[in-house]
Amino acid sequence: MTDPNLLAGRYRLLERRDRAGTSWRSRDELLQRDVTITGISLPSPGPHRDRLLGRIRAAADFRHPNVITLHDVVSFPDRVWLILESVEGRSVLRTVRAEGPLTSERAAEVGLRVLDAQTAAHGRGVHLLAGPESVLLTPDDRVVVTDFAIFDATDELRDLGAVLFTAVEGQAPGTGPRPADGTAPAFGDVGESGPAAGDTGATDSGPLAPLLEGLLAADPAHRPDATTTRTVLLGLTSRPARSRPARSRPGRLPLVAAALALLAVGGTAFWLWPRPAAQPRSAVPAPLPTFFAKAPDPCSLISGEHAGRLYLTPSPSRKEKACHWTAADPTAPDSLRNTLEITVVREPKAALAHATYLRLRSRDAKDTRIVSAPADVPGLGDEAYVYQLSNGHSSVNSVVVLRAGNVVTALQYHRFTVPDAGGRGYAGALQAARWAVESLRGRR
């Protein structure tokens, strides 16, 4: 019997990598290696489709140490699946969120590798999407561009400017101030933190500022070319240490100064990205109610944006005391169709709700399908526990039950994957529960 979760009889789709449902962490079971699979819908037969397929063929023939490798292509009448090298690492954006901005020297090194990749790709008729989220920094010091511009070519030097800006300023251009509460994205992604963007004393972005202003200029006529960009970046990677006198590296600084002078021509026309204001102090969260006069609406506990982070449709359906979210992409393989169900039970008194909570915990601990026993979750409501169930062959349910005052809420995050690869189902259920608790704050 054909396995419905195997693509082309060999590639097993394991984990969705993006919210749109077009990229998955996968396994090549023939060669026993991890791969990334990206699906691309094909236009109707004609010149546009021919041009797109031509770009895919060019990308498949291209090899560069700073560009992800396209191993294989699986074709269907209405879409193609790109089988790509699996690269472990964090994007520039996630790196600066986790560790703070890079020094100008390190940012210049990253920029040079991206520029090398762009130049080599351009010479082979290949265009790259080298943005802050698609340039990965790996543990073994690789810098890897992970996206091809399969559809329309982009302004690659301006993309490079966005990467460099993100590296030294700690956030992508034009995103405004970081949130003050340090809210983390789903599944434990590191939240927005670190030195305030625009604090050049903290980020050491000063030497890169003229180049950034040029690369990000609104008028293409005021942007430097690749040769000037390379000259500036090379100079910054070879700058003497701050403790050394400038004369210890003769000949290098005049070259950099000349390149920066070129960028300064017409500088008043450069478009400067706005600097975010100082980060305000986080507000003290509202306390959880000790009594709810009526049962909270379960459909209101998760916003549409939060549902999207869990790869769910933003529009749930109601079912008595419960609310049900289905997979955002109904055409995805079974292994990637997640669901969430939230049930709310209101008791007349908090003591009765506590009794209900204990009864549910005792019942759940005896379930024969259990794969991880109920475990306490401190700090989630007045009391909470989490556990996992499995049907043994195709799916895992991660369940969180919590009490807030006289209300008991149960959240069940269903994932069609065994085992729970990377603990994503477990983390997703806990994240949904945290959002639900935050939604309960301040209600009565």
Side-chain angles (χ1 to χ4, degrees), residues 234-242 244-256:
L234 279 171
L236 291 174
T237 59
S238 302
R239 288 172 62 223
R242 291 184 179 182
R244 302 178 189 170
R247 63 178 180 274
S248 64
R249 301 290 292 229
R252 176 63 69 179
L253 290 181
L255 181 62
V256 178

Side-chain angles (χ1 to χ4, degrees), residues 11-62:
Y11 302 112
R12 184 173 298 279
L13 305 180
L14 298 176
E15 196 71 39
R16 194 191 309 262
R17 283 192 179 275
D18 66 340
R19 296 177 190 171
T22 59
S23 182
W24 294 273
R25 183 180 67 84
S26 308
R27 182 74 174 169
D28 182 345
E29 297 200 340
L30 176 63
L31 298 182
Q32 291 295 295
R33 66 181 178 187
D34 292 333
V35 293
T36 295
I37 295 182
T38 296
I40 298 177
S41 297
L42 290 174
S44 301
H48 187 45
R49 175 184 282 210
D50 294 341
R51 184 165 57 253
L52 184 147
L53 292 175
R55 288 184 173 177
I56 291 175
R57 285 190 288 269
D61 291 336
F62 179 67

Side-chain angles (χ1 to χ4, degrees), residues 291-296 321 344-349 353 406-408:
F291 179 80
F292 292 85
K294 63 179 182 179
K321 297 180 180 180
V344 173
V345 175
R346 176 190 171 275
E347 300 288 3
K349 297 181 179 179
N406 62 322
V407 166
V408 177

